[in-house]
Amino acid sequence: AATFTNCTFSKNHAAYGGGAYTNGTSLIFNNSILWGNTSSQWGNQIETSGSAGTALNYSCYSNIYDNSKGIWDVEGNVSSISPININPGFEDIDNNAFILKGNSPCVNTGLSTYNSEPEDIRGEARIQGTSIDMGAYEYTPGTDPAKTNLFVKHDATGANNGSDWGNAFTVLQSA
């Protein structure tokens, strides 16, 4: 089996399984995030085929396809423990900023015993809060963005980008 702990797989593309593909080797993801990957064949994050299995332990993911059984998500040979299947709340996925915001559902939701490293990918101490975070980055209060604030005011006259009241979006749908 191949094991990935506290990894982030995002914005990758492949013919099968944009984030990961296996046809015979079991995959184990612990405290990891698989989000925003694409594939030509099924449009999924992870694809398993044959007798290989995938375990998602305390991980955030979307779109898993078992090609051999023709089924989606965590059925068949895909197992999960405490999964999260909602947007992980990256700082700015469009610009490859995969740091978690403070209000991310992946903050403090990993299982600390899976990880043996004292630091995240950028050298910040692991376990800043009550539990380890999912993914490669540990949310660090005071360093990382706490949350995203967007301003909306129907009669704003500024840049219409939501950055502050003077430049607020004029319609909620834009925000």
Side-chain angles (χ1 to χ4, degrees), residues 21-169:
Y21 171 79
T22 183
N23 187 9
T25 301
S26 296
L27 300 175
I28 300 169
F29 296 94
N30 299 322
N31 300 337
S32 294
I33 299 172
L34 293 105
W35 198 272
N37 301 293
T38 59
S39 69
S40 303
Q41 186 67 23
W42 307 106
N44 56 326
Q45 307 292 316
I46 305 168
E47 183 176 340
T48 64
S49 189
S51 61
T54 299
L56 294 148
N57 304 315
Y58 293 83
S59 294
C60 178
Y61 68 94
S62 67
N63 298 349
I64 299 168
Y65 188 76
D66 181 340
N67 190 29
S68 65
K69 295 185 167 113
I71 53 179
W72 285 95
D73 215 33
V74 293
E75 300 176 51
N77 62 7
V78 178
S79 65
S80 63
I81 300 171
S82 297
I84 294 177
N85 193 306
I86 57 175
N87 190 315
F90 293 131
E91 179 181 1
D92 187 357
I93 193 171
D94 292 333
N95 292 303
N96 302 320
F98 305 116
I99 295 168
L100 300 173
K101 292 184 232 171
N103 59 349
S104 165
C106 298
V107 171
N108 295 321
T109 53
L111 183 62
S112 300
T113 57
Y114 282 131
N115 185 65
S116 62
E117 299 300 316
E119 299 175 338
D120 72 2
I121 193 171
R122 63 188 169 167
E124 295 291 332
R126 273 289 182 191
I127 309 181
Q128 296 275 333
T130 57
S131 184
I132 197 166
D133 299 344
M134 294 178 182
Y137 296 94
E138 187 79 7
Y139 171 71
T140 305
T143 300
D144 298 334
K147 58 184 177 178
T148 301
N149 292 318
L150 295 174
F151 296 83
V152 179
K153 184 178 178 187
H154 77 283
D155 60 351
T157 58
N160 196 35
N161 62 18
S163 61
D164 56 38
W165 286 119
N167 295 302
F169 288 113

